[in-house]
Amino acid sequence: MKTVILETLDQIDRRILDELARDGRLSVAELSRRVNLSKTPCQARIKRLETEGYILGYRAVIDPERLGLPHVAFVEVKLSDTRKAALAAFNKAVRALPEVEQAHMIASSFDYLLKVRTKDIAAYREVLGEKISALPHVAHTSTHVSMEAVKDDAD
């Protein structure tokens, strides 16, 4: 786990991060205008924020529904073994499933919460039965189907 040292961020750094989080394709000229800083110092701050790990990368936000993947399910996964080796095996295997958008280890009555995206309920059923249930040490699953995404920071 990474240790976050927020004291090294001043108000301008935070504004740069906020602007880039909203639009990672901003030119340095436009970003520097928005944060009221000349281009060279703005560029230096961006580089420092990247080097220090505050900016992890830049990416396009894709509309999964346009790609024919509107169905979202959240899956509670209970493992039969939670020792270090079992967790590592599960983690490695779940990362290889393209249908799993997110996987979180949870402090609860279950061990993991997965966000799974497919084209429809039939495709989800296939993924659950043939892929998720076959992951290492899976003892039990429980599914919650999303009816509507009310808030999604990726939008």
Side-chain angles (χ1 to χ4, degrees), residues 2-3 7 18 25 31 45-46 48 57 60 73 78 80 86-87 99 101-102 113 126-127 134 137 142-143 150-151:
K2 295 179 183 176
T3 303
E7 305 86 58
D18 186 52
R25 295 184 69 184
L31 180 60
R45 283 176 180 255
I46 293 168
R48 180 179 53 79
K78 178 77 174 159
S80 59
L87 296 175
E99 298 87 355
E101 284 188 352
Q102 298 179 6
L113 183 64
E126 173 88 9
V127 169
H137 308 287
S142 180
T143 298
V150 177
K151 181 180 188 296

Side-chain angles (χ1 to χ4, degrees), residues 12-155:
I12 294 172
D13 289 336
R14 290 177 190 277
R15 286 178 34 218
I16 288 170
L17 292 172
D18 186 52
E19 291 292 340
L20 288 175
R22 278 192 242 137
D23 184 357
R25 295 184 69 184
L26 280 175
S27 68
V28 174
E30 177 60 20
L31 180 60
S32 62
R33 186 191 67 72
R34 290 186 186 187
V35 300
N36 198 27
L37 196 64
S38 62
K39 287 190 339 186
T40 302
C42 186
Q43 218 163 11
R45 283 176 180 255
I46 293 168
K47 182 68 176 160
R48 180 179 53 79
L49 291 167
E50 291 170 346
T51 301
E52 291 179 359
Y54 290 99
I55 298 173
L56 299 176
Y58 302 89
R59 64 181 184 193
V61 178
I62 309 299
D63 183 349
E65 291 191 22
R66 298 275 308 202
L67 296 176
L69 299 169
H71 186 269
V72 174
F74 293 90
V75 186
E76 296 176 7
V77 177
K78 178 77 174 159
L79 301 182
S80 59
D81 184 355
T82 56
R83 290 175 289 179
K84 193 174 186 175
L87 296 175
F90 178 86
N91 291 348
K92 181 179 180 184
V94 79
R95 286 184 187 110
L97 298 181
E99 298 87 355
V100 176
E101 284 188 352
Q102 298 179 6
H104 300 269
M105 183 184 284
I106 301 293
S108 182
S109 59
F110 55 95
D111 301 304
Y112 285 86
L113 183 64
L114 310 180
K115 180 182 178 185
V116 179
R117 185 176 292 279
T118 57
K119 67 179 182 172
D120 56 29
I121 192 72
Y124 169 72
R125 218 172 140 186
E126 173 88 9
V127 169
L128 179 65
E130 300 301 319
K131 295 182 179 181
I132 294 172
S133 294
L135 291 171
H137 308 287
V138 171
H140 175 77
T141 64
S142 180
T143 298
H144 306 274
V145 175
S146 174
M147 297 186 329
E148 176 185 4
V150 177
K151 181 180 188 296
D152 188 340
D153 285 344
D155 294 339

